[in-house]
Structure formats: structure tokens, C-alpha cells
Amino acid sequence: MTPPEHSEADATSATAVDSRSLPGTFRVEVSGGTEQHLGPNGEPVLLGGDPLRLLRLSPTSSAVLEALRSGRTLSEAATSCRVSLRSVSSLVRRLLDRGIVHPLFLDAERRATSANDVTIVVPVKDRAAQLDRLLTSIRYSPDTATCEVIVVDDGSHADERDQIATLVRRHRATLIRHEQSLGPAGARNVGAGATTTGSIAFVDSDCEVTPGWLSRCLAHFDDPCVAVVAPRIVAMPSASDHPLHAYESVHSSLDLGSQPARVAPMHRVAYVPAAALVVRRRAFEELGGFNEDLHVGEDVDFVWRANICAHMVRFEPGAHVAHDHRTSWWAFSQRRFQYATSTALLDRLHPGQVPPIVISPWSVGAWAGIGSQTMIGLGGAVGIVGYSAAKFPAKLGLLREPGPVAARLVVRGHLGAGRQLASATWRAYLPLTVVAGLISRRARRWALATAVIANVLDFRDRKPRMNPLTYVAIRLLDDTSYCAGLWWSCMTTRNLRPLKPKVVNWPGRRSVTEDS
């Protein structure tokens, strides 16, 4: 965990005005993890955002935020607080950029955005039955029923090719056929090139859309800075009681949770999958589409390039698209392996953005002491935690009483680092763990503890509909499959940087204040 940055927000400051103006009808909600505290002079201070930061509010900004909390639009908040809409828009832009507030759409399903300005592109290969299910869901969903649909058959085998063509005609879609597969990135690019609408929605053939998903994603385009929006990918309902389905329902790498987020590298939500993605056409063309050299991870690269070009990417968990998860043990393991094979290539394109763990040297020292399994080591760990807790309040200078907040953040930071280390033991460093276990009894105990304790805690948090032993076993299969793909990627590309931990200086010495 890194120390929170300090900044100030003033809705009346002329220097804070942002040209990326938001419409007066825009609404926001405060992020669920945001806390409000008092500064030295009794002024309100917010603690929250992604990454965590402190933001001191002027009296006017505080009044505006309270008006926005009550569900008022930007125009209504400006009127009630007697400030200009431009100033309110500037304040909200800063809060959006910092992850302290998120867009709020109370009537997204009844909005006026026309589906005629959206084309749905569906890449498919050898999934005729699944394609039929997807196209049916598109036609029966009110917000997509009139959308133009382009299906790109990316080199399907002969026995599936004719079925796909028949389905496309029956669902009144447009078919583009490739004799040889271009891969998912190439198929999406070709489909996008055949569109003429202002927005493009990409949906994979093994998905099923739900009513209202597209309208809710399109609502984000009220913000002129938003160029890419992703819905939440949830597990498709199934009558099967296969343990893999229960596991994927709570631990799929496609499901990024129930909290809205701005998507960016090293953030809480660092990527979104292209299984379902809505993109502004002009942004897609500016970015040059998906990278066709990547057959896995092309969606991660796309959203990271969007961030580099100052296009905001949003994750909208209120919009759902269901995914048909794999319930074959081999397919499950193989897919996790494939996901990881993109890591070294992504690191070449975006250096330093795919570390296996982000941790402070204080946490490394504390957990190394615990891992030593000696009284001296445990004493050292206690000392490190105490020292970091004593130093951390200096980083919370905007608070009147930083001590209790600092203690809570320190404990939370060290515990979070412990869970990261436990996960990395199997997910990133399994070969090293095995070697260490052959040499040291203490290493074997650490490996066993991380395999059991950390995953049992994860079971408690996620509450899957299965017994703990099965969950832990599948989680270990998940981690070891991913680790194999990660190391294969690093070895074949001769790039070991994805195995290097990212060490952040916490509490650190340098000042992190940012005045405005």
C-alpha cells in the first residue's frame, strides 16, 4: 500500500477549470470506500480514490459534493450552491479522474441514445450453437433489438461454416468470412472496419447479453472523455453442479467485481476483457484497433493504449453480459495458461505494468520476519509494523487526528501485502517455491500455509457454493496453470521483468503533497 497523496479541491477556483466539461444533466455517486474526515482547522477532508489519496475541500466544494450526494445533477448542484456550472464540472472532473466519485445513471435504460448509432461486432470460430444463443439474446433485448449486427466468421471449419451462415441469415445479421483465422484481434478489426456508426460494441460468441446492458454502457458517453466502457462479465446460469462452474461464478478472471471503476494500469481494475466492450468509433480509429500481433492479451493492450492517449476507460458493473465458462478441467487449465502467456509481451509493450506483486520494503521485512518462523524474526516483524505505524501519520498531515487512521491503514496495508505474497508464492514463484521446499523445512511450512490459509480466507470472502477443500484445490490448479504460462512466456521471450516485484517506498521519505 502506498501513502495517500495530498491535494486540494475548490469549486470556485478559476485555475481549476477543466476544458473537458461535463453536461449539466450528469450525476455522480461517491465511491464506496471514500471516507470523510476533518482537517486541522475543521475543514472537510476526503480519504479515498484509486490510488488512495487525501483531498481537502473548500467550503464551496464541500457544499457542492453534498448536493451531488443527494442525487442532484451538476446543474442543480451549481444552482443550489450559487456557483457556475463550469466550476462544478471542473470539480467533478477532478474527482472522477481520482476515482473518488463515479458516474450515476438513474434512468440509463430510458435514455434517448439511439441504438441506430451502435453496431455490434461478433467474432466467432466454430461456435454455431453459442452464436445462435447470443444472436437470439441480442434480438430479444430491447436496447439491442434494432442494432446492426456484423458476424465475423474467423476461419471456422467446414462443418460449422454453413451453420453459421444459416444462423446469420435467420437473425438478419451481416456475415464476413475469413478462410484463414486472423485471431480475435484481427476478426474484431475487420468487423469494426465494416461499421459506419458512431459506436461499436464487441461481444464474443460465447456470451449472452442481458436487457439494458448496452444502454447503461452508452450512458457513460455523456462524459466526453470516456471512450471505452466494459460491462461486468458474469457466469451464465447453468443447471450443472460442476465444481468449475461454481468456482468461475466467484473467481473468473473475466468478472472484475461489483464496484464501478476507472480502468488503468496499476489501479484496482487494471484491465477489462474484450468479451464485451463498447467503444467510440473515433477513439478506436485513433488507436488503430486491436494489436493483431497479440492473440491473447490484446484487450489489455487496447485499454492501456487508450489510457496513454488520454481516453478514459470505465468499468460499469451495473451492466451485465453472461459468459459461458468452461467446465472441462483441461480447457480450464489451458485457458489460464494461455492468459498468462501474454504477460511478457505486454511487458515489452508497456514496461513495468505487469509486476507479479506490488509491495513496500516495510511489508517485505515484516513478512520475511514472520516467514523465518523464529522468535527473533517475529520480534523484528512486530518492530517493523510498529515503526511504520509511528512514521505513517506524517503522511496524513491534512487530518486533524491522523493517528487512528494511520494505524488502520498500516494494518490493512501489511495484511494486504501478506495476501499478495501468499498468492505470488504459487501464482508467480512456484518453481522457486518448489526448489526452496526441497531444501528447507521452513519453506515447506510457508508453502503449505500459503496454500491453505490464504485460500481458505479467499473462500470465506467469496462464499462459493462448494466445499472449501474443492475450492482450494481448484484455486491451486488455477494458480499453477497461470504460473506455467507466465514462466513459459518469460523464457520464450527472454524477458524476466514480469517476475520482478514492484517495490514502492512506504512510508517513504519524500513528500507527496500536491497543492492546487
Side-chain angles (χ1 to χ4, degrees), residues 2-214:
T2 57
E5 296 180 4
H6 297 187
S7 59
E8 300 183 6
D10 187 346
T12 62
S13 171
T15 61
V17 173
D18 197 317
S19 61
R20 302 170 296 167
S21 298
L22 294 160
T25 56
F26 205 78
R27 288 186 173 91
V28 295
E29 61 180 342
V30 177
S31 175
T34 301
E35 303 173 3
Q36 184 163 324
H37 299 275
L38 293 178
N41 299 316
E43 70 276 18
V45 177
L46 297 179
L47 174 65
D50 185 14
L52 188 69
R53 64 185 70 228
L54 284 168
L55 184 70
R56 178 161 49 200
L57 299 178
S58 69
T60 303
S61 295
S62 180
V64 169
L65 185 60
E66 286 304 312
L68 295 171
R69 280 181 190 267
S70 66
R72 295 183 184 182
T73 65
L74 269 62
S75 291
E76 292 167 344
T79 300
S80 66
C81 298
R82 298 183 180 180
V83 295
S84 69
L85 174 60
R86 189 181 181 200
S87 297
V88 174
S89 175
S90 173
L91 171 66
V92 172
R93 170 62 63 201
R94 292 191 64 194
L95 298 178
L96 283 169
D97 288 347
R98 287 154 175 76
I100 292 175
V101 300
H102 300 298
L104 174 64
F105 306 112
L106 300 177
D107 56 351
E109 284 73 21
R110 299 192 299 275
R111 62 185 285 103
T113 300
S114 173
N116 293 329
D117 198 37
V118 182
T119 301
I120 299 176
V121 173
V122 181
V124 63
K125 182 179 180 182
D126 300 330
R127 291 175 175 170
Q130 292 171 308
L131 176 65
D132 186 24
R133 180 179 58 202
L134 169 62
L135 296 179
T136 300
S137 70
I138 290 173
R139 290 309 177 201
Y140 279 93
S141 179
D143 58 340
T144 58
T146 60
C147 287
E148 179 186 1
V149 178
I150 296 177
V151 176
V152 182
D153 183 347
D154 190 38
S156 294
H157 292 94
D159 55 340
E160 296 267 358
R161 191 182 307 153
D162 293 340
Q163 295 182 52
I164 290 173
T166 301
L167 289 172
V168 169
R169 286 194 299 270
R170 178 155 59 85
H171 288 281
R172 301 185 302 280
T174 300
L175 177 64
I176 298 175
R177 177 179 290 170
H178 298 155
E179 294 302 323
Q180 299 294 327
S181 175
L182 300 181
R188 294 190 191 104
N189 287 345
V190 170
T195 66
T196 57
T197 49
S199 300
I200 307 166
F202 298 98
V203 186
D204 282 358
S205 58
D206 54 354
C207 292
E208 183 177 352
V209 302
T210 61
W213 79 277
L214 182 59

Side-chain angles (χ1 to χ4, degrees), residues 146-496:
T146 60
C147 287
E148 179 186 1
V149 178
I150 296 177
V151 176
V152 182
D153 183 347
D154 190 38
S156 294
H157 292 94
D159 55 340
E160 296 267 358
R161 191 182 307 153
D162 293 340
Q163 295 182 52
I164 290 173
T166 301
L167 289 172
V168 169
R169 286 194 299 270
R170 178 155 59 85
H171 288 281
R172 301 185 302 280
T174 300
L175 177 64
I176 298 175
R177 177 179 290 170
H178 298 155
E179 294 302 323
Q180 299 294 327
S181 175
L182 300 181
R188 294 190 191 104
N189 287 345
V190 170
T195 66
T196 57
T197 49
S199 300
I200 307 166
F202 298 98
V203 186
D204 282 358
S205 58
D206 54 354
C207 292
E208 183 177 352
V209 302
T210 61
W213 79 277
L214 182 59
S215 296
R216 197 164 185 89
C217 288
L218 289 173
H220 282 273
F221 289 162
D222 286 352
D223 181 346
C225 293
V226 173
V228 183
V229 185
R232 183 179 183 182
I233 307 298
V234 298
M236 195 173 293
S238 173
S240 170
D241 59 354
H242 197 289
L244 279 179
H245 184 270
Y247 178 85
E248 290 275 41
S249 296
V250 299
H251 206 290
S252 169
S253 54
L254 302 180
D255 187 348
L256 302 175
S258 59
Q259 299 301 313
R262 179 182 179 181
V263 182
M266 308 303 292
H267 280 52
R268 177 177 61 83
V269 177
Y271 70 94
V272 285
L277 211 60
V278 185
V279 186
R280 290 190 197 265
R281 158 182 291 285
R282 67 172 184 270
F284 186 84
E285 292 174 346
E286 179 184 333
L287 295 169
F290 293 94
N291 186 341
E292 298 184 16
D293 292 332
L294 296 174
H295 284 246
V296 182
E298 76 287 348
D299 40 13
V300 179
D301 168 71
F302 180 78
V303 299
W304 287 358
R305 285 189 288 117
N307 273 280
I308 293 172
C309 295
H311 295 302
M312 187 177 286
V313 182
R314 299 289 316 184
F315 170 59
E316 176 47 69
H320 288 182
V321 169
H323 183 264
D324 191 4
H325 293 307
R326 291 165 173 78
T327 55
S328 159
W329 294 102
W330 171 249
F332 171 84
S333 181
Q334 184 184 44
R335 193 57 177 164
R336 292 302 196 269
F337 178 92
Q338 289 174 340
Y339 284 152
T341 59
S342 67
T343 309
L345 293 175
L346 286 171
D347 181 79
R348 288 270 175 86
L349 297 170
H350 307 274
Q353 299 300 327
V354 289
I357 185 171
V358 180
I359 195 168
S360 78
W362 304 96
S363 293
V364 171
W367 284 102
I370 294 172
S372 70
Q373 303 168 42
T374 65
M375 293 304 298
I376 294 177
L378 292 175
V382 172
I384 289 173
V385 173
Y387 179 76
S388 58
K391 297 288 288 184
F392 198 69
K395 296 294 180 180
L396 305 177
L398 291 182
L399 298 183
R400 174 186 288 178
E401 298 179 357
V405 178
R408 177 163 47 83
L409 292 179
V410 164
V411 171
R412 190 173 75 183
H414 285 308
L415 290 178
R419 296 187 75 161
Q420 279 196 72
L421 283 168
S423 175
T425 298
W426 291 83
R427 195 167 181 83
Y429 301 123
L430 182 58
L432 303 181
T433 301
V434 171
V435 172
L438 294 175
I439 300 172
S440 167
R441 180 181 300 175
R442 289 174 182 170
R444 289 197 294 273
R445 290 174 184 158
W446 171 265
L448 179 62
T450 57
V452 176
I453 298 175
N455 289 328
V456 168
L457 291 175
D458 192 58
F459 175 88
R460 181 202 63 185
D461 295 341
R462 297 179 185 272
K463 299 178 175 61
R465 296 182 178 179
M466 58 197 304
N467 68 72
L469 290 178
T470 303
Y471 180 84
V472 171
I474 297 177
R475 178 65 191 271
L476 292 176
L477 174 62
D478 185 340
D479 288 346
T480 53
S481 299
Y482 183 92
C483 185
L486 171 62
W487 280 72
W488 183 91
S489 175
C490 291
M491 296 300 106
T492 55
T493 60
R494 298 181 180 179
N495 177 18
L496 299 181

